[in-house]
Amino acid sequence: MHTSALVLFSGGQDSTTCLAHALSKYERVETIAFDYGQRHHVELQARLNVLAAIKAGFPAWAAQLGEDHLLDLAVLGELSETSLTRDMGFQMESSGLPNTFVPGRNLLFMTLAAALAYRRGLQVIVTGVCETDFSGYPDCRDDTMKALQLALSLGMDRRFLIETPLMWIDKAQTWELAHTLGAQSGVPGGGQAMVDLVVEHTHTCYQGDRTHRHAWGYGCGSCPACELRAKGYAGFTTKVNSAAT
Ligand code: ZN
Protein backbone atom coordinates (compact mmCIF):
# COMPACT_ATOMS: atom_id res chain seq x y z
CA MET A 1 0.00 0.00 0.00
CA HIS A 2 1.46 3.32 -1.08
CA THR A 3 0.99 6.20 1.33
CA SER A 4 3.56 8.78 0.32
CA ALA A 5 4.53 10.58 -2.85
CA LEU A 6 6.95 13.06 -4.36
CA VAL A 7 5.48 15.33 -7.04
CA LEU A 8 7.59 16.95 -9.74
CA PHE A 9 6.06 20.36 -9.32
CA SER A 10 7.04 23.20 -11.63
CA GLY A 11 4.19 25.57 -10.86
CA GLY A 12 2.48 24.92 -14.20
CA GLN A 13 -1.05 23.74 -14.87
CA ASP A 14 -0.07 20.11 -15.37
CA SER A 15 2.10 19.67 -12.31
CA THR A 16 -0.43 21.52 -10.15
CA THR A 17 -3.10 19.06 -11.27
CA CYS A 18 -0.67 16.24 -10.47
CA LEU A 19 -0.17 17.71 -7.01
CA ALA A 20 -3.94 17.73 -6.44
CA HIS A 21 -4.02 14.12 -7.65
CA ALA A 22 -1.31 13.11 -5.16
CA LEU A 23 -2.99 14.99 -2.31
CA SER A 24 -6.27 13.22 -3.04
CA LYS A 25 -4.54 9.85 -2.82
CA TYR A 26 -1.56 9.88 -0.46
CA GLU A 27 -1.21 10.77 3.20
CA ARG A 28 2.15 12.48 2.83
CA VAL A 29 3.11 14.49 -0.22
CA GLU A 30 6.31 16.40 -0.89
CA THR A 31 7.24 18.51 -3.91
CA ILE A 32 10.40 19.00 -5.95
CA ALA A 33 11.51 21.41 -8.66
CA PHE A 34 14.74 22.32 -10.39
CA ASP A 35 16.28 25.73 -10.82
CA TYR A 36 18.43 25.82 -13.94
CA GLY A 37 18.75 29.54 -14.37
CA GLN A 38 15.90 29.52 -16.82
CA ARG A 39 14.01 32.61 -17.83
CA HIS A 40 11.30 31.10 -15.73
CA HIS A 41 11.86 32.70 -12.40
CA VAL A 42 8.22 33.52 -12.93
CA GLU A 43 7.61 29.78 -12.77
CA LEU A 44 9.49 29.38 -9.50
CA GLN A 45 7.41 32.17 -8.02
CA ALA A 46 4.25 30.54 -9.37
CA ARG A 47 5.11 27.35 -7.45
CA LEU A 48 5.22 29.22 -4.17
CA ASN A 49 1.95 30.98 -4.95
CA VAL A 50 0.25 27.68 -5.84
CA LEU A 51 1.48 26.01 -2.65
CA ALA A 52 0.24 28.96 -0.57
CA ALA A 53 -3.14 28.93 -2.32
CA ILE A 54 -3.55 25.18 -1.75
CA LYS A 55 -2.72 25.58 1.92
CA ALA A 56 -5.19 28.45 2.26
CA GLY A 57 -8.04 26.93 0.26
CA PHE A 58 -7.79 23.21 0.98
CA PRO A 59 -7.15 22.60 4.71
CA ALA A 60 -7.22 18.79 4.51
CA TRP A 61 -4.61 18.84 1.73
CA ALA A 62 -2.56 21.39 3.64
CA ALA A 63 -2.18 18.87 6.45
CA GLN A 64 -0.75 16.29 4.04
CA LEU A 65 1.56 18.66 2.25
CA GLY A 66 5.13 18.23 3.42
CA GLU A 67 8.43 19.75 2.47
CA ASP A 68 9.08 21.55 -0.79
CA HIS A 69 12.49 20.95 -2.38
CA LEU A 70 14.26 23.13 -4.93
CA LEU A 71 17.45 21.71 -6.44
CA ASP A 72 19.98 23.84 -8.27
CA LEU A 73 20.63 22.45 -11.76
CA ALA A 74 22.72 25.22 -13.28
CA VAL A 75 24.50 22.56 -15.35
CA LEU A 76 21.42 22.40 -17.58
CA GLY A 77 21.98 26.04 -18.49
CA GLU A 78 25.52 25.13 -19.53
CA LEU A 79 24.17 22.35 -21.75
CA SER A 80 21.73 24.74 -23.41
CA GLU A 81 24.68 26.98 -24.23
CA THR A 82 26.27 24.21 -26.26
CA SER A 83 23.43 24.28 -28.77
CA LEU A 84 24.28 25.22 -32.38
CA THR A 85 21.50 27.76 -32.13
CA ARG A 86 23.04 29.57 -29.17
CA ASP A 87 23.62 32.79 -31.08
CA MET A 88 20.02 32.98 -32.23
CA GLY A 89 18.53 33.73 -28.84
CA PHE A 90 15.38 32.19 -27.50
CA GLN A 91 12.91 31.01 -30.11
CA MET A 92 10.44 28.25 -30.77
CA GLU A 93 11.33 25.41 -33.10
CA SER A 94 8.80 23.91 -35.49
CA SER A 95 8.64 20.98 -33.07
CA GLY A 96 6.94 23.28 -30.56
CA LEU A 97 9.96 23.09 -28.27
CA PRO A 98 12.09 26.08 -27.39
CA ASN A 99 15.57 25.93 -28.94
CA THR A 100 16.99 25.91 -25.42
CA PHE A 101 15.44 22.47 -24.91
CA VAL A 102 17.93 19.98 -23.52
CA PRO A 103 17.57 16.39 -24.80
CA GLY A 104 17.02 13.92 -22.01
CA ARG A 105 16.35 16.65 -19.47
CA ASN A 106 13.46 14.73 -18.01
CA LEU A 107 15.65 11.65 -17.52
CA LEU A 108 17.85 13.76 -15.27
CA PHE A 109 14.85 15.20 -13.41
CA MET A 110 13.42 11.74 -12.75
CA THR A 111 16.76 10.36 -11.56
CA LEU A 112 17.23 13.23 -9.12
CA ALA A 113 13.61 12.96 -7.99
CA ALA A 114 14.11 9.26 -7.28
CA ALA A 115 17.28 9.98 -5.32
CA LEU A 116 15.40 12.50 -3.23
CA ALA A 117 12.41 10.16 -2.83
CA TYR A 118 14.83 7.51 -1.59
CA ARG A 119 16.29 9.80 1.05
CA ARG A 120 12.87 11.09 2.10
CA GLY A 121 11.32 7.60 2.21
CA LEU A 122 8.70 8.48 -0.43
CA GLN A 123 7.27 5.61 -2.46
CA VAL A 124 5.56 7.13 -5.46
CA ILE A 125 6.94 9.69 -7.93
CA VAL A 126 4.19 11.68 -9.65
CA THR A 127 4.92 13.56 -12.86
CA GLY A 128 2.74 15.44 -15.34
CA VAL A 129 4.31 14.04 -18.49
CA CYS A 130 1.86 13.48 -21.31
CA GLU A 131 1.92 11.83 -24.73
CA THR A 132 -1.28 13.44 -25.94
CA ASP A 133 -0.19 17.01 -26.58
CA PHE A 134 3.59 16.94 -26.89
CA SER A 135 4.50 13.66 -28.54
CA GLY A 136 7.72 15.48 -29.47
CA TYR A 137 9.22 14.92 -26.03
CA PRO A 138 10.70 11.42 -26.19
CA ASP A 139 11.73 11.56 -22.53
CA CYS A 140 8.09 12.13 -21.52
CA ARG A 141 6.63 9.08 -23.22
CA ASP A 142 4.95 6.22 -21.44
CA ASP A 143 7.57 3.68 -22.52
CA THR A 144 10.34 5.94 -21.21
CA MET A 145 8.56 6.24 -17.86
CA LYS A 146 8.07 2.47 -17.61
CA ALA A 147 11.72 1.88 -18.43
CA LEU A 148 12.75 4.53 -15.89
CA GLN A 149 10.59 2.99 -13.19
CA LEU A 150 12.43 -0.27 -13.67
CA ALA A 151 15.88 1.28 -14.03
CA LEU A 152 15.52 3.54 -10.99
CA SER A 153 14.01 0.77 -8.87
CA LEU A 154 16.83 -1.62 -9.78
CA GLY A 155 19.55 1.00 -9.60
CA MET A 156 18.55 2.19 -6.15
CA ASP A 157 17.30 -1.18 -4.89
CA ARG A 158 14.04 0.41 -3.85
CA ARG A 159 10.66 -0.27 -5.42
CA PHE A 160 9.49 3.06 -6.89
CA LEU A 161 6.15 3.60 -8.55
CA ILE A 162 6.11 6.29 -11.24
CA GLU A 163 2.62 7.69 -11.62
CA THR A 164 1.60 9.76 -14.68
CA PRO A 165 -2.04 10.85 -14.25
CA LEU A 166 -1.99 13.01 -17.39
CA MET A 167 -0.30 10.58 -19.77
CA TRP A 168 -3.32 9.83 -21.95
CA ILE A 169 -5.54 12.84 -21.47
CA ASP A 170 -5.64 16.15 -23.36
CA LYS A 171 -5.56 19.68 -21.94
CA ALA A 172 -9.36 19.99 -21.73
CA GLN A 173 -9.43 16.81 -19.66
CA THR A 174 -6.61 18.14 -17.47
CA TRP A 175 -8.82 21.13 -16.57
CA GLU A 176 -11.65 18.68 -15.94
CA LEU A 177 -9.43 16.55 -13.72
CA ALA A 178 -8.48 19.58 -11.62
CA HIS A 179 -12.17 20.33 -11.18
CA THR A 180 -12.99 16.74 -10.22
CA LEU A 181 -10.16 16.51 -7.69
CA GLY A 182 -11.13 19.84 -6.14
CA ALA A 183 -14.76 18.73 -5.90
CA GLN A 184 -13.68 15.52 -4.14
CA SER A 185 -11.51 17.36 -1.65
CA GLY A 186 -14.33 17.97 0.80
CA VAL A 187 -14.09 21.74 0.42
CA PRO A 188 -17.51 23.23 -0.50
CA GLY A 189 -17.26 24.52 -4.07
CA GLY A 190 -13.86 22.87 -4.26
CA GLY A 191 -14.17 22.01 -7.95
CA GLN A 192 -14.47 25.59 -9.08
CA ALA A 193 -11.99 26.69 -6.41
CA MET A 194 -9.37 24.35 -7.85
CA VAL A 195 -10.02 25.57 -11.40
CA ASP A 196 -9.76 29.18 -10.16
CA LEU A 197 -6.50 28.36 -8.41
CA VAL A 198 -5.05 26.91 -11.63
CA VAL A 199 -6.20 29.95 -13.63
CA GLU A 200 -4.88 32.49 -11.16
CA HIS A 201 -1.63 31.03 -9.89
CA THR A 202 -0.14 28.46 -12.26
CA HIS A 203 2.22 29.50 -15.01
CA THR A 204 2.71 27.79 -18.38
CA CYS A 205 3.70 30.54 -20.86
CA TYR A 206 7.13 30.02 -22.45
CA GLN A 207 7.66 33.78 -22.59
CA GLY A 208 7.18 34.22 -18.85
CA ASP A 209 4.38 36.71 -19.46
CA ARG A 210 2.38 37.58 -16.32
CA THR A 211 0.96 40.85 -17.60
CA HIS A 212 -1.82 39.60 -19.89
CA ARG A 213 -4.77 38.02 -18.08
CA HIS A 214 -7.08 35.76 -20.07
CA ALA A 215 -10.04 33.61 -18.97
CA TRP A 216 -7.57 30.70 -18.74
CA GLY A 217 -4.89 32.60 -16.83
CA TYR A 218 -1.82 34.70 -17.50
CA GLY A 219 0.39 34.47 -20.57
CA CYS A 220 1.41 35.98 -23.89
CA GLY A 221 -1.46 34.15 -25.59
CA SER A 222 0.54 33.20 -28.66
CA CYS A 223 3.33 30.79 -27.68
CA PRO A 224 2.58 27.05 -28.10
CA ALA A 225 2.09 26.59 -24.34
CA CYS A 226 -0.44 29.44 -24.18
CA GLU A 227 -2.26 28.20 -27.27
CA LEU A 228 -2.55 24.73 -25.84
CA ARG A 229 -3.73 26.00 -22.47
CA ALA A 230 -6.32 28.34 -24.05
CA LYS A 231 -7.62 25.62 -26.36
CA GLY A 232 -7.93 23.17 -23.46
CA TYR A 233 -9.76 25.69 -21.33
CA ALA A 234 -12.18 26.46 -24.17
CA GLY A 235 -12.87 22.74 -24.57
CA PHE A 236 -13.41 22.33 -20.84
CA THR A 237 -15.79 25.27 -20.45
CA THR A 238 -17.77 24.27 -23.56
CA LYS A 239 -18.29 20.84 -22.07
CA VAL A 240 -19.28 22.23 -18.65
CA ASN A 241 -21.74 24.67 -20.23
CA SER A 242 -23.36 22.07 -22.46
CA ALA A 243 -23.72 19.73 -19.47
CA ALA A 244 -25.45 22.53 -17.54
CA THR A 245 -28.11 23.13 -20.21
ZN1 ZN B 1 2.80 32.33 -23.84
Side-chain angles (χ1 to χ4, degrees):
M1 186 66 184
H2 298 102
T3 58
S4 61
L6 177 66
V7 181
L8 279 91
F9 175 60
S10 69
Q13 176 189 354
D14 290 349
S15 66
T16 297
T17 306
C18 285
L19 179 56
H21 163 90
L23 288 165
S24 73
K25 225 175 143 179
Y26 303 112
E27 293 165 15
R28 183 163 68 97
V29 175
E30 299 190 8
T31 45
I32 183 172
F34 307 95
D35 184 358
Y36 43 103
Q38 71 270 60
R39 293 140 218 268
H40 304 176
H41 279 284
V42 169
E43 237 178 52
L44 297 180
Q45 186 56 49
R47 308 175 70 244
L48 301 179
N49 296 343
V50 169
L51 289 175
I54 285 179
K55 284 177 184 163
F58 298 86
W61 286 355
Q64 296 159 243
L65 199 50
E67 255 183 76
D68 178 42
H69 310 270
L70 183 64
L71 297 190
D72 183 358
L73 263 190
V75 66
L76 274 182
E78 289 175 38
L79 270 173
S80 297
E81 287 303 308
T82 62
S83 162
L84 289 171
T85 56
R86 68 184 178 283
D87 295 328
M88 295 161 61
F90 176 84
Q91 66 178 52
M92 303 305 299
E93 303 280 0
S94 56
S95 60
L97 307 179
N99 60 355
T100 50
F101 173 72
V102 176
R105 185 181 67 175
N106 207 44
L107 302 178
L108 191 54
F109 286 177
M110 293 302 291
T111 303
L112 291 168
L116 188 103
Y118 184 102
R119 297 189 70 98
R120 302 290 302 164
L122 302 166
Q123 303 152 319
V124 182
I125 300 167
V126 184
T127 170
V129 292
C130 171
E131 278 206 23
T132 316
D133 292 319
F134 276 132
S135 51
Y137 286 107
D139 57 346
C140 292
R141 290 181 190 148
D142 192 50
D143 283 352
T144 306
M145 288 300 127
K146 288 191 164 84
L148 268 177
Q149 176 172 289
L150 186 60
L152 294 170
S153 295
L154 289 173
M156 298 190 196
D157 199 19
R158 175 80 57 91
R159 186 84 191 149
F160 291 115
L161 180 67
I162 294 180
E163 212 166 56
T164 56
L166 312 184
M167 184 60 80
W168 305 113
I169 66 177
D170 64 20
K171 272 287 187 289
Q173 290 168 306
T174 302
W175 283 104
E176 199 176 336
L177 178 60
H179 188 279
T180 302
L181 292 167
Q184 291 167 352
S185 70
V187 170
Q192 189 57 46
M194 191 60 208
V195 170
D196 291 345
L197 187 157
V198 171
V199 166
E200 202 58 40
H201 297 296
T202 68
H203 184 83
T204 327
C205 175
Y206 283 139
Q207 309 288 355
D209 187 327
R210 294 295 292 176
T211 55
H212 297 93
R213 171 68 151 81
H214 313 264
W216 44 264
Y218 292 90
C220 70
S222 54
C223 76
C226 280
E227 280 177 1
L228 205 55
R229 178 166 165 145
K231 187 164 155 263
Y233 188 78
F236 165 65
T237 48
T238 303
K239 191 172 169 188
V240 169
N241 292 336
S242 62
T245 52

